[in-house]
Amino acid sequence: EKPDSLIGRLGRFVNETKIHLVASSELFVEFYLRRNFAWYNSELWLEDIPLDVKVLVCLAKNDEITNAKKIERELSRLAKSRSNIQTISWDEVGHAHCISNSDRWSEICDSVIKMEQ
């Protein structure tokens, strides 16, 4: 199914609803996200990373939290001037899908090994 089809949009709505319900209605999850994760106040700009540091960016194109199209445009813009940034893009998956998918982990590991050679 295509992400822009009715079924694709319905699947995205269901995933977004699950994330909202788990993250905002469960008292302890909301507390943990608000109090114990420093990343929501952090920023890392790829332009600030030295050219000798290799970076692998993994992007889920159907991410329910971030604007994947905007990130993809920014990565394309940076790729013209920086060779230290590699990208993996997954078309049919949402936010954090790689965490529970061993095939994604293998792809990430293979990419990191390839970058180090």
Side-chain angles (χ1 to χ4, degrees):
E1 91 225 21
K2 295 194 177 253
D4 292 331
S5 70
L6 177 60
I7 292 174
R9 287 193 309 265
L10 180 60
R12 184 177 174 102
F13 172 77
V14 169
N15 285 337
E16 289 171 356
T17 302
K18 284 191 292 188
I19 290 169
H20 173 75
L21 288 173
V22 170
S24 67
S25 64
E26 170 57 47
L27 179 64
F28 295 107
V29 172
E30 183 177 8
F31 173 81
Y32 191 82
L33 289 173
R34 290 186 182 273
R35 303 283 182 208
N36 297 318
F37 275 177
W39 52 258
Y40 75 92
N41 275 334
S42 301
E43 293 178 339
L44 174 63
W45 298 99
L46 291 173
E47 291 97 340
D48 295 338
I49 297 173
L51 291 172
D52 62 329
V53 175
K54 297 173 184 172
V55 178
L56 177 64
V57 178
C58 300
L59 180 65
K61 291 187 178 181
N62 288 334
D63 197 309
E64 300 86 5
I65 297 173
T66 63
N67 185 336
K69 288 181 181 179
K70 191 173 185 180
I71 293 169
E72 200 169 30
R73 281 194 308 269
E74 182 67 8
L75 289 169
S76 294
R77 182 186 70 79
L78 288 170
K80 296 173 185 169
S81 61
R82 300 182 67 100
S83 61
N84 64 323
I85 301 170
Q86 301 295 317
T87 305
I88 297 174
S89 294
W90 297 306
D91 291 326
E92 308 267 333
V93 300
H95 188 81
H97 179 78
C98 66
I99 292 173
S100 61
N101 186 302
S102 61
D103 291 338
R104 304 284 185 230
W105 275 105
S106 296
E107 187 177 359
I108 292 168
C109 289
D110 291 345
S111 294
V112 169
I113 290 168
K114 192 174 174 183
M115 287 173 66
E116 292 299 320
Q117 294 175 347

